[in-house]
Amino acid sequence: MSKKKILTLVFVREAGKILLGFKKRGFGAGLWNGFGGKVEEGETILQGAKRELLEECGLKAHSLKSVGLINFEFESDPTILEVHIFQTSDFSGLVAESEEMRPRWYSEESIPFSQMWPDDRLWFPYMLKDRQFEGYFLFKGMDIILNHWLKEVNLL
Ligand SMILES: Cc1cc(-c2ccco2)c2oc(N)nc2c1
C-alpha cells in the first residue's frame, strides 16, 4: 500500500527576483529550493506553507498563490510525495538564515538550475509566467528522472 506525504514549497518573488534557499541539512541538502516541508497534523496546507516559510527564512506571507501540484515518486520507495507549490509577493519581515536554509535572492534570468532538483528546470517556466500546472515525476535516486508529465491547468 503506497503512503502519501503532503509537503509544501513556497517561492517568494519581488522585482524580477526570486528568493531561493540553500538546504543545509536533511532531505535535498546541498540544493537550492523554495521554502517548505511537511504539513503537520491539525494544520491546513496553507498554514503549513506559511509556517515553513517563516521558520526557514523569517518572512511572513500575508497571502499565497497556488501555482502547482506535483506528485513525486522514487523507484526505490512506495511513498508518494504530494508537493503543493505556492508563490507570494505579499509578505513582510526581514530575510534571515535558519538552521535549515541559507536564503539568497536570484534574478529570474539566472536561476542556478544546475544546483537544484532536476525537475525544476521543467516546471519553473510555468511558475515564472504565473501559469498553474500539475505534474508527476518518477525519480531514480536524487538526480535521474525516469518518467514525468506536466500539464497546464486553470484552477481559479
Ligand atoms: C523529489 C522532490 C522533492 C522535493 C521537495 C521536498 C520538499 C518539498 O519539495 C522537490 O522540490 C523540488 N523543487 N523538486 C523536488 C523533488
Side-chain angles (χ1 to χ4, degrees), residues 92-137:
S92 58
L94 297 175
V95 176
E97 181 166 353
S98 61
E99 287 180 359
E100 292 283 319
M101 293 291 239
R102 175 165 32 93
R104 177 175 154 181
W105 288 102
Y106 280 91
S107 159
E108 289 179 7
E109 280 78 43
S110 49
I111 293 168
F113 287 117
S114 63
Q115 303 168 69
M116 297 168 76
W117 285 92
D119 51 292
D120 292 12
R121 69 192 73 195
L122 298 172
W123 55 262
F124 259 55
Y126 290 94
M127 176 170 65
L128 297 177
K129 287 185 296 190
D130 295 329
R131 303 301 301 158
Q132 294 180 307
F133 63 90
E134 288 176 357
Y136 166 80
F137 288 84

Side-chain angles (χ1 to χ4, degrees), residues 5-6 8 36 38 40 61 69 72 77 81 88 91 98 100 111 114 126 134 144 147 149 152:
K5 232 183 243 176
I6 302 183
T8 60
K38 290 189 199 68
E40 291 173 356
L69 173 63
F72 292 106
D77 181 339
L81 305 180
T88 186
F91 61 92
S98 61
E100 292 283 319
I111 293 168
S114 63
Y126 290 94
E134 288 176 357
I144 296 173
N147 187 8
W149 57 263
E152 188 168 333

Side-chain angles (χ1 to χ4, degrees), residues 7-9 11 27 33 72 74 81 83 117 119-120 123 139:
L7 299 163
T8 60
L9 267 186
F11 293 90
F27 184 65
N33 204 352
F72 292 106
F74 288 90
L81 305 180
V83 181
W117 285 92
D119 51 292
D120 292 12
W123 55 262
F139 271 83

Side-chain angles (χ1 to χ4, degrees), residues 12 71 106 118:
V12 182
N71 280 299
Y106 280 91

Side-chain angles (χ1 to χ4, degrees), residues 7-52:
L7 299 163
T8 60
L9 267 186
V10 177
F11 293 90
V12 182
R13 299 183 58 193
E14 187 171 64
K17 290 185 182 290
I18 187 167
L19 188 68
L20 299 176
F22 182 80
K23 190 80 171 15
K24 294 159 65 175
R25 64 185 189 186
F27 184 65
L31 300 176
W32 293 92
N33 204 352
F35 302 90
K38 290 189 199 68
V39 178
E40 291 173 356
E41 294 282 314
E43 71 179 356
T44 67
I45 293 171
L46 267 180
Q47 288 166 339
K50 290 179 177 179
R51 174 183 52 76
E52 288 283 357

